[in-house]
Amino acid sequence: MIAVLLVDDHPVVREGLRGMLETEPDLTVVGEASSGDEAVAQNRAKRPDVILMDLRMPGLDGVGATRKILAETPERRVVVLTTYETDADILRAVEAGAAGYLLKDATRAELSGAIRAAARGETVLAPSVAGKLVRRVRNPAPQALSARETEVLRLVAQGHTNADIGRALHISEATVKTHLLRMFAKLDVSDRTAAVTTAMSLGLL
């Protein structure tokens, strides 16, 4: 039997998952948690084989919980199950050590198959998530923005002019332009609007 821990802050979601999984002869739900902190505690108490981990929860989120759980029990297999599939969310989960990333529209067969695969030590990814990761590998992330560049870009996103930004940050308008040009190069864009949208898609803003 594969022991599964369900982690989601919505009781109805946990109830639905339990109902789906307990029809499978080789899967058993050994516990539930409604937050990242509860997940860490339940991992210690229940010692599941696989954890289905929601990503966004109040307090300690799914990524933070995954890091803590794998630091304590590296053999544990954590599969993220979420409605979110932004590049930033996927990368954070994978970097934290998640063995898989599935979306909540997965069928019972897809979900149970993914749990079995994770328990065998395989990596399981929703097709759309796998596609995003492949694209990211082919097109590596840009260089990180400096703290000052991030400040400038945040003000740009709020609609401020270069002169406004200079006054707000106590720097010259020429310095603002220099920061913008450096950001354009790092983000591989050519204008302010593209810089803002690209930075937001990458989780930099």
Side-chain angles (χ1 to χ4, degrees):
M1 293 290 285
I2 298 172
V4 182
L5 172 65
L6 305 178
V7 184
D8 196 290
D9 59 335
H10 294 99
V12 68
V13 173
R14 298 198 306 273
E15 184 178 342
L17 289 171
R18 179 182 283 274
M20 289 172 65
L21 299 179
E22 289 193 334
T23 62
E24 301 294 326
D26 58 338
L27 305 180
T28 181
V29 176
V30 295
E32 298 181 13
S34 60
S35 69
D37 289 316
E38 279 186 30
V40 174
Q42 286 291 300
N43 175 60
R44 293 169 184 153
K46 304 295 186 180
R47 304 186 65 80
D49 300 303
V50 177
I51 300 173
L52 284 184
M53 180 75 72
D54 190 18
L55 201 58
R56 300 189 185 179
M57 297 177 287
L60 184 66
D61 68 2
V63 170
T66 297
R67 285 200 185 97
K68 281 194 171 186
I69 287 168
L70 295 179
E72 293 182 6
T73 49
E75 73 280 6
R76 200 70 71 239
R77 306 292 290 172
V78 178
V79 176
V80 169
L81 182 64
T82 181
T83 55
Y84 303 98
E85 56 173 326
T86 67
D87 288 8
D89 285 327
I90 296 166
L91 286 173
R92 287 177 65 232
V94 171
E95 287 169 356
Y101 198 109
L102 299 176
L103 302 178
K104 285 182 177 176
D105 60 1
T107 65
R108 184 179 71 184
E110 290 169 340
L111 187 59
S112 57
I115 291 171
R116 294 183 187 103
R120 291 193 300 266
E122 300 171 17
T123 299
V124 288
L125 299 171
S128 60
V129 171
K132 285 176 180 287
L133 283 176
V134 169
R135 286 193 295 275
R136 175 53 65 92
V137 169
R138 290 175 178 166
N139 302 288
Q143 301 175 54
L145 301 182
S146 69
R148 178 63 89 183
E149 288 166 351
T150 301
E151 283 182 306
V152 170
L153 192 55
R154 189 169 288 116
L155 291 170
V156 169
Q158 294 170 4
H160 295 289
T161 65
N162 288 357
D164 292 337
I165 295 169
R167 284 191 292 272
L169 300 180
H170 307 292
I171 57 178
S172 71
E173 193 170 342
T175 301
V176 173
K177 290 179 180 176
T178 298
H179 285 310
L180 285 171
L181 289 173
R182 287 177 181 161
M183 279 187 283
F184 292 172
K186 288 181 177 181
L187 297 171
D188 192 26
V189 297
S190 58
D191 61 64
R192 295 157 66 97
T193 301
V196 170
T197 55
T198 300
M200 289 180 70
S201 72
L202 295 171
L204 301 177
L205 272 184

